[in-house]
């Protein structure tokens, strides 16, 4: 069901804006719930106004508390005889400005209560923890209590119970960039950041999403919690949908589905401009709190809690994975040594190939070829790759490239080596095998010579070998063919989708890799 956000903008006497719910939603016999804070946290403002949550949100300047005047006029606009509750994040500016506004409102005859949210656990034992994304859960609990007709005291008590049970910590790859400011290149990944771009509690090195999630879970001390938890994953503003889903998977996996009573997210509940990071909030799944979180609301930014199920039962593939078996090596270990030197060459070329690929692709050609080379070396070292039977050896290479190299290059080379294996099994020579592999690669990949691909290095090498030339001569022609790819526009592969100017004068990284491989093999 699509929710429609009905808002009114109240312009204060000082020219600032207060966001309030539509007049049709305001009931003077019901407690009003108000919150706010610095701009940069937009979802915590307008997105959580609606039936069952906030009645008004008071935005300030970027990362700054709203003024006393703005808060006071918000109280006047939405509060009736039942009074209002101010939900305040524990920052000095917010505490002072909302606090003074509350005192002035009481002087005017309004019933006002305040609840302070201090859910940050970045600095254990710190006397003034900050208010973070857990504030949104307090909004929901307070709003649910207010919309069910509870008194101001009851609404405040419910909000305080929620605020006292939540804990949050954030992690980001770098700080937020304020409009008009240059990027801060001195700060890197940090654990325990505030939402106002304050430095984190510690600088950390993050190896993966799993690593980042593990750091957060450790800081939240979830393992020591005896009961099930409500978990909220909050995007600080810069995570892609894919990254958010990966983080969701890791959170559920590492905490364990059986320990999560409800999961909220991934959601942009409390952002920090476009900060590339996330925070996790944990709250014990007490019945009253869960009931409040599940109460329907028209606030469009709220994401309803979900139950977490165990992963579906996995069935085994009909093609059982065969264990790697030892393979005999060729006479004098000659072929294996040539392959080894070729792989070492590709590993050394990683940076060069990545740089070439950045002109027309995503800059990972060298990384891809290195992955394939390292996988082949691993099997050589383990004795599970050998060429006493060339056909069997090439078939094993094809399997390695298909499953462990990745990218289009890995699949294309797996096609080439598979076809070579089939021909070698018929006692054909290496030249005929390379020709068959080349034809299969061109057929399935759609590339021809002159399209600025690996074919431009393999095709001339094949012609030399087919005419009875040596491997050294074939490698020389492959190098020449690879250099020639800089002279014409790409017509196949990812490079074909970029402007000709981007690839002009740039050697195709795949062709260069193949030529370097053949050159290294020919030297042994």
């Amino acid at each position: 069901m699509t929710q429609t956000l009905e808002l009114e903008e109240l312009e204060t006497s000082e020219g600032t804006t207060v966001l309030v719910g539509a007049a049709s939603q305001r009931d003077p016999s019901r407690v009003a719930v108000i919150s706010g804070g610095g701009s940069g946290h937009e979802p915590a403002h307008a997105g959580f106004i609606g039936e069952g949550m906030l009645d008004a949100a008071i935005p300030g300047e970027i990362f700054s508390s709203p003024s006393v005047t703005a808060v006071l006029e918000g109280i006047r606009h939405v509060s009736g005889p039942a009074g209002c509750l101010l939900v305040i994040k524990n920052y000095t500016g917010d505490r002072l400005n909302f606090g003074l506004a509350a005192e002035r409102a009481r002087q005017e005859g309004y019933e006002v209560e305040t609840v302070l949210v201090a859910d940050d656990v970045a600095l254990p034992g710190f006397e003034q923890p900050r208010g973070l994304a857990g504030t949104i859960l307090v909004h929901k609990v307070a709003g649910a209590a207010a919309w069910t007709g509870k008194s101001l005291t009851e609404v405040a008590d419910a909000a305080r119970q929620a605020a006292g049970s939540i804990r949050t910590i954030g992690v980001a790859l770098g700080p937020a960039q304020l409009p008009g400011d240059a990027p801060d290149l001195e700060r890197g990944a940090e654990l325990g950041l505030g939402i106002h771009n304050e430095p984190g509690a510690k600088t950390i090195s993050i190896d993966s999403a799993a690593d980042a999630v593990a750091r957060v879970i450790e800081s939240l001390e979830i393992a020591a919690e005896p009961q099930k938890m409500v978990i909220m994953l909050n995007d600080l503003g810069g995570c892609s949908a894919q990254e958010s889903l990966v983080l969701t998977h890791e959170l559920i996996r590492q905490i364990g589905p059986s320990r999560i009573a409800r999961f909220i997210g991934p959601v942009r509940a409390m952002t920090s401009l476009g900060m590339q990071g996330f925070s996790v909030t944990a709250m014990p799944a007490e019945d009253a709190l869960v009931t409040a979180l599940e109460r329907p609301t028209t606030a469009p930014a709220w994401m309803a809690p979900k139950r977490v199920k165990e992963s579906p039962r996995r069935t085994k593939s009909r093609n059982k994975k065969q264990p790697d078996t030892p393979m005999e090596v060729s006479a004098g270990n000659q072929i294996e040594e040539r392959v080894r030197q070729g792989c070492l060459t590709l590993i050394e070329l990683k940076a060069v190939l990545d740089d070439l690929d950045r002109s027309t692709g995503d800059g990972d050609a060298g990384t891809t070829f290195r992955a394939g080379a390292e996988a082949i070396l691993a099997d050589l070292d383990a004795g599970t790759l050998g060429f006493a039977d060339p056909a069997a050896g090439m078939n094993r290479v094809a399997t390695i490239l298909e499953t462990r190299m990745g990218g289009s290059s890995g699949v294309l080379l797996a096609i080439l080596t598979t076809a070579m294996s089939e021909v070698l099994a018929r006692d054909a020579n290496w030249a005929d095998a390379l020709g068959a592999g080349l034809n299969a690669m061109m057929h399935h990949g759609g590339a021809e010579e002159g399209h600025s691909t690996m074919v431009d290095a393999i095709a001339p090498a094949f012609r030399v070998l087919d005419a009875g030339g040596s491997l050294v001569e074939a490698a020389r022609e492959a190098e020449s063919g690879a250099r020639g790819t800089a002279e014409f526009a790409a017509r196949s592969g990812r490079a074909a989708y970029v402007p000709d100017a981007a690839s002009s004068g740039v050697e195709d990284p795949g062709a260069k890799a193949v030529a370097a491989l053949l050159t290294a093999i020919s030297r042994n």
Side-chain angles (χ1 to χ4, degrees):
M1 177 180 177
T2 302
Q3 303 286 6
T4 300
L5 177 62
E6 294 185 69
L7 287 181
E8 295 178 9
E9 290 190 2
L10 171 64
E11 185 173 346
T12 70
S13 58
E14 60 184 16
T16 58
T17 298
V18 175
L19 302 171
V20 298
S24 61
Q25 295 179 326
R26 294 196 292 275
D27 178 357
S29 66
R30 177 181 56 76
V31 174
V33 182
I34 303 174
S35 190
S39 295
H41 319 311
E42 284 78 4
H45 299 150
F48 292 110
I49 296 176
E51 179 180 344
M53 286 198 76
L54 297 180
D55 294 275
I58 325 293
E61 298 295 330
I62 293 177
F63 297 157
S64 297
S65 172
S67 67
V68 175
T69 299
V71 178
L72 180 57
E73 294 201 25
I75 295 171
R76 292 168 178 161
H77 198 71
V78 300
S79 297
C84 75
L85 175 71
L86 301 182
V87 180
I88 308 168
K89 294 188 291 296
N90 192 23
Y91 289 92
T92 301
D94 286 4
R95 289 201 315 272
L96 296 179
N97 289 3
F98 276 84
L100 180 53
E103 294 300 326
R104 289 185 175 173
R106 292 186 184 112
Q107 287 183 334
E108 296 179 9
Y110 292 96
E111 293 291 330
V112 182
E113 288 278 0
T114 62
V115 170
L116 198 65
V117 183
D119 54 320
D120 184 21
V121 296
L123 297 171
F126 187 57
E127 293 183 358
Q128 293 292 337
R130 299 166 292 195
L132 300 178
T135 307
I136 304 303
L137 302 185
V138 179
H139 292 169
K140 185 66 179 67
V141 170
W147 280 79
T148 53
K150 294 185 182 298
S151 69
L152 179 57
T153 299
E154 291 172 320
V155 172
D157 286 346
R160 292 190 183 107
Q161 180 187 2
S165 67
I166 57 177
R167 49 190 190 271
T168 301
I169 192 165
V171 63
L173 298 181
Q177 183 178 345
L178 274 66
D181 285 1
D184 185 349
L185 302 179
E186 294 184 0
R187 288 174 60 184
E190 296 173 352
L191 177 69
L193 300 94
I195 54 174
H196 298 149
N197 215 29
E198 311 97 314
K202 62 176 71 172
T203 299
I204 60 174
S205 176
I206 299 175
D207 297 328
S208 62
D211 182 33
V213 168
R215 302 290 189 93
V216 166
I217 291 175
E218 180 183 11
S219 298
L220 290 173
E221 298 181 344
I222 291 176
E225 189 65 40
Q227 65 186 104
K228 289 188 175 183
M229 307 291 293
V230 173
I231 301 294
M232 182 172 73
L233 172 60
N234 172 60
D235 172 10
L236 289 170
C239 291
S240 67
Q242 183 181 31
E243 290 168 326
S244 294
L245 291 174
V246 170
L247 292 170
T248 298
H249 169 77
E250 282 299 328
L251 263 177
I252 295 173
R253 183 184 69 81
Q254 294 188 32
I255 295 175
S258 63
R259 301 210 55 218
I260 302 175
R262 300 291 187 276
F263 190 89
I264 302 170
V267 61
R268 286 184 175 176
M270 187 74 72
T271 61
S272 185
L273 292 176
M275 182 180 286
Q276 192 172 9
F278 67 96
S279 66
V280 175
T281 299
M283 180 175 73
E286 297 178 6
D287 291 344
L289 295 176
V290 172
T291 299
L293 294 178
E294 291 188 325
R295 190 181 190 280
T297 176
T298 61
W302 173 252
M303 179 176 286
K306 304 178 184 67
R307 295 177 183 269
V308 177
K309 297 180 180 179
E310 295 284 352
S311 298
R313 182 178 177 182
R314 296 184 180 183
T315 57
K316 293 183 178 180
S317 168
R318 279 183 278 178
N319 296 321
K320 294 183 179 179
K321 184 181 183 298
Q322 297 297 321
D324 294 334
T325 56
M327 298 184 71
E328 297 293 329
V329 299
S330 61
N333 210 33
Q334 292 185 7
I335 298 178
E336 290 75 14
E337 186 56 33
R338 288 176 184 269
V339 171
R340 181 181 299 279
Q341 293 305 314
C343 289
L344 292 173
T345 297
L346 291 178
I347 292 171
E348 292 175 358
L349 278 176
K350 185 262 183 188
V352 173
L353 297 176
D354 278 345
D355 286 342
L356 288 174
D357 194 34
R358 288 190 183 95
S359 299
T360 56
D362 51 7
D364 67 349
T367 303
T368 300
F369 275 96
R370 182 182 67 179
E374 289 177 341
I376 289 173
L377 285 176
D379 274 44
L380 284 173
D381 292 339
T384 53
L385 173 61
F387 293 91
D389 179 347
M394 292 305 290
N395 191 54
R396 176 62 184 159
V397 169
T399 300
I400 295 170
L401 297 176
E402 174 193 348
T403 58
R404 291 150 67 184
M405 179 171 175
S408 298
S409 298
V411 177
L412 285 168
L413 291 175
I415 289 172
L416 176 118
T417 48
T418 297
M420 290 180 67
S421 173
E422 292 175 1
V423 173
L424 289 169
R426 299 195 293 269
D427 293 328
N429 58 41
W430 285 97
D432 289 343
L434 182 60
L438 175 62
N439 287 335
M441 176 186 282
M442 291 192 296
H443 173 74
H444 293 290
E448 298 177 6
E449 197 169 359
H451 285 191
S452 192
T453 68
M454 289 186 285
V455 171
D456 291 293
I458 298 172
F462 163 67
R463 286 195 292 270
V464 171
L465 295 175
D466 191 48
S470 68
L471 188 55
V472 172
E473 293 170 324
R476 189 179 302 125
E477 287 301 305
E479 294 277 5
S480 177
R483 288 193 297 271
T485 61
E487 305 301 322
F488 42 82
R491 293 175 58 191
S492 292
R494 183 173 294 174
Y497 298 100
V498 301
D500 292 349
S503 59
S504 178
V506 179
E507 193 172 344
D508 177 72
K512 184 175 182 65
V514 169
L517 174 66
L518 289 173
T519 298
I521 289 175
S522 70
R523 289 174 181 162
N524 292 275

